[in-house]
Amino acid sequence: MTWIDLRSDTVTRPTPAMRAAMLSAEVGDDVYGEDPTVNVLEARLAAELGFESGLFLPSGTQSNLVAVMAHCERGDEYLVGMDAHTYKFEGGGAAVLGSIQPQPIPHAPDGTLSLEALAAAVKPLDVHFARTRLLCLENTWHGRALPLEYLAAARAFCTQRGLAMHLDGARLFNAAIACGVTPRAIAAHFDSVSVCFSKGLGAPVGAVLVGTRALIDRARRWRKVAGGGMRQAGILAAACLYALDHHVERLAEDHARAARLAMALRELPGLTVAGQHTNMVFIEVPAGRLAAFKAHLNAARVRLSIGYLPQIRMVTHLDVDDAGIARTIEAFRAFFV
Ligand SMILES: *Cc1c(COP(=O)(O)O)cnc(C)c1O
């Protein structure tokens, strides 16, 4: 029996057609700016999102890091959610490698950071304080698409306070589909946006950062410093271009499957469905049953990440089809009787 892996949308494997696109990619040395496929990807995403310039990087973590380093200098600070990837899940990179202080802000349940809390956290210009330079938001956040009105309000706040705004848009396309708008309509509120290709878009590797030419020039230097200058990276960029052509609209199928899964699990006793947003379903299982539940899922060949968050997160993606959802529901039904 094949495994159904709902731990994350990062587990997707490149499809045969994506591999074929990688195999036939035109390549050159990207550190010299000579990889034609990388150049097409960077220009294409920048144009699609309404920015001057783009930069291809090996990971979303590095993309966010060089973005923060391009916006801020040593001794500056960025405002960021307490549970945001750019604060909590990137090893403290901006502080460790950039000498840039994070100022964490609690999230509201919908993932937004209240403008009151942000305003209270902006430091006065005074030798005692780090200089507040940047707001980082994340969209989707734990699967939730941030409300469009909130993005507009946050933009107005940042403009008024002279702050730049960066979006960790690892799942920007999921957010756009959930809001029924173009990715550009979300990106328009920001000075820079990072998009991951190795999540639901199904590429094996890669992220693209977009921004002004000046910002991306600085980010390109920090990418090299961070060891992210890649040579014949067109092989990887070809997978990302393939994903833009073939794997964006289908994200709606992942959202529909997550909704179907949540609906079926809500019927079961002894289990709480805490929420479903875009391609993620969050459940709670009584602590006393967790070990038995894990063993049961293992026997049914269903993989979930258990014990990482207080809730169990299930993520639908390219490699989970309708039959996989049906098998998962069956496995749950057999346990929660
Ligand atoms: C996955 C992810 C990233 C980047 O992670 P990498 O594994 O470094 O590509 C950044 N932000 C969010 C919200 C993510 O989910």
Side-chain angles (χ1 to χ4, degrees):
M1 210 171 17
T2 55
W3 280 92
I4 299 162
D5 196 341
L6 295 161
R7 286 174 301 171
S8 174
D9 44 11
T10 55
V11 301
T12 52
R13 295 191 171 88
T15 61
M18 180 180 274
R19 286 171 191 254
M22 297 171 76
L23 193 61
S24 62
E26 249 190 272
V27 296
D29 189 326
D30 180 50
V31 173
Y32 294 148
E34 290 173 3
D35 189 295
T37 310
V38 170
N39 292 342
V40 167
L41 174 66
E42 291 176 344
R44 175 168 167 188
L45 197 71
E48 275 188 29
L49 298 184
F51 289 86
E52 282 176 355
S53 213
L55 182 67
F56 184 50
L57 302 107
S59 71
T61 296
Q62 191 176 83
S63 180
N64 286 324
L65 171 69
V66 302
V68 174
M69 290 177 75
H71 281 293
C72 301
E73 289 173 21
R74 182 172 194 230
D76 290 348
E77 78 169 1
Y78 64 111
L79 309 176
V80 61
M82 279 180 68
D83 274 320
H85 206 279
T86 42
Y87 172 59
K88 195 171 173 184
F89 296 93
E90 297 182 1
V96 174
L97 305 167
S99 301
I100 299 155
Q101 162 173 294
Q103 169 60 66
I105 307 285
H107 294 265
D110 66 357
T112 59
L113 310 176
S114 91
L115 299 187
E116 293 71 35
L118 292 173
V122 174
K123 313 288 183 290
L125 276 179
D126 178 303
V127 291
H128 291 87
F129 302 116
R131 290 179 303 179
T132 313
R133 295 292 292 273
L134 174 70
L135 169 63
C136 281
L137 296 178
E138 181 174 320
N139 199 9
T140 60
W141 178 77
H142 295 197
R144 290 165 178 80
L146 299 183
L148 294 168
E149 319 78 69
Y150 173 75
L151 298 182
R155 173 77 262 178
F157 167 82
C158 285
T159 302
Q160 190 211 340
R161 295 302 186 105
L163 304 179
M165 239 171 120
H166 170 69
L167 178 63
D168 176 0
R171 298 186 179 84
L172 170 68
F173 289 99
N174 298 82
I177 286 171
C179 295
V181 299
T182 59
R184 186 182 182 133
I186 293 174
H189 297 290
F190 294 87
D191 299 297
S192 57
V193 178
S194 170
V195 175
C196 278
F197 284 85
S198 60
K199 303 274 165 83
L201 294 180
V205 173
V208 173
L209 176 70
V210 296
T212 59
R213 192 168 311 285
L215 185 94
I216 294 299
D217 286 348
R218 291 198 294 279
R220 192 177 295 279
R221 175 164 180 277
W222 287 127
R223 182 187 68 171
K224 191 74 184 80
V225 171
M230 299 183 286
R231 302 296 178 173
Q232 286 72 38
I235 288 185
L236 302 172
C240 301
L241 284 166
Y242 181 89
L244 285 178
D245 285 334
H246 301 281
H247 291 172
V248 173
E249 278 157 34
R250 65 151 308 286
L251 291 172
E253 297 172 26
D254 296 340
H255 299 183
R257 289 193 178 107
R260 199 142 24 88
L261 178 61
M263 207 194 321
L265 300 189
R266 279 194 185 101
E267 313 266 293
L268 301 179
L271 154 85
T272 307
V273 176
Q276 180 263 318
H277 314 280
T278 60
N279 65 333
M280 297 185 189
V281 180
F282 296 88
I283 60 170
E284 286 162 19
V285 173
R289 298 195 73 187
L290 264 185
F293 181 53
K294 259 182 166 169
H296 172 80
L297 287 182
N298 206 47
R301 294 285 183 268
V302 174
R303 213 170 247 152
L304 308 187
S305 56
I306 297 177
Y308 189 56
L309 295 168
Q311 296 171 339
I312 298 172
R313 186 185 79 164
M314 305 169 74
V315 189
T316 57
H317 53 75
L318 191 59
D319 291 355
V320 180
D321 58 9
D322 287 336
I325 295 296
R327 247 181 70 195
T328 304
I329 293 169
E330 271 322 300
F332 272 75
R333 280 192 184 136
F335 187 81
F336 294 101
V337 284

